Amino acid sequence: MKFRLNTISAATFAACLASACAAQAEDLVFTLTNGTNSVLTQFHTSPTGVNDWEEDVLGQEVLNPGESATVTIADGRTVCAYDMKFEFSEDSELDTTTDTQDLCELGSYTINE
């Protein structure tokens, strides 16, 4: 499974900067890799300090062991520190795992056992 990141040409990018597309520049984009031996079934993020988890980023998809996906957090916020929650398939021996990272600094993140 691959998630695709759209590429914008230089001319289109320049035009976007002068228009409403500039808001998209705030999106957080990183590569998520499942470094476990279990199927990752749900991946939730939420800015630190927010008490509820946001929607499952994977939706109907899963991330099998060794697979990677490009994750875009386009929530319109200007924060960098996010809590992350990883849930695995029912037959997995792994418990739900959480972590907190500065996603503005990350280009990639690997969840390990």
Side-chain angles (χ1 to χ4, degrees):
M1 170 185 51
K2 293 184 180 179
F3 290 74
R4 295 188 180 171
L5 174 65
N6 293 331
T7 305
I8 300 174
S9 70
T12 304
F13 182 73
C16 283
L17 286 178
S19 69
C21 292
Q24 292 180 354
E26 299 298 322
D27 294 351
L28 296 173
V29 180
F30 64 98
T31 301
L32 175 64
T33 301
N34 183 356
T36 72
N37 291 319
S38 299
V39 176
L40 180 62
T41 58
Q42 293 187 29
F43 171 57
H44 299 269
T45 62
S46 184
T48 56
V50 173
N51 294 328
D52 295 317
W53 291 106
E54 310 235 338
E55 288 183 31
D56 173 23
V57 173
L58 298 176
Q60 297 296 319
E61 303 294 329
V62 297
L63 203 58
N64 290 305
E67 286 186 332
S68 297
T70 299
V71 175
T72 301
I73 300 175
D75 60 9
R77 295 181 173 109
T78 57
V79 299
C80 292
Y82 278 81
D83 295 326
M84 298 180 289
K85 180 171 78 169
F86 304 89
E87 295 185 26
F88 300 92
S89 61
E90 290 182 16
D91 62 344
S92 171
E93 294 181 12
L94 297 178
D95 293 327
T96 296
T97 303
T98 60
D99 194 9
T100 300
Q101 293 290 326
D102 181 337
L103 296 182
C104 295
E105 297 292 321
L106 290 181
S108 65
Y109 182 90
T110 300
I111 178 71
N112 292 302
E113 295 186 34

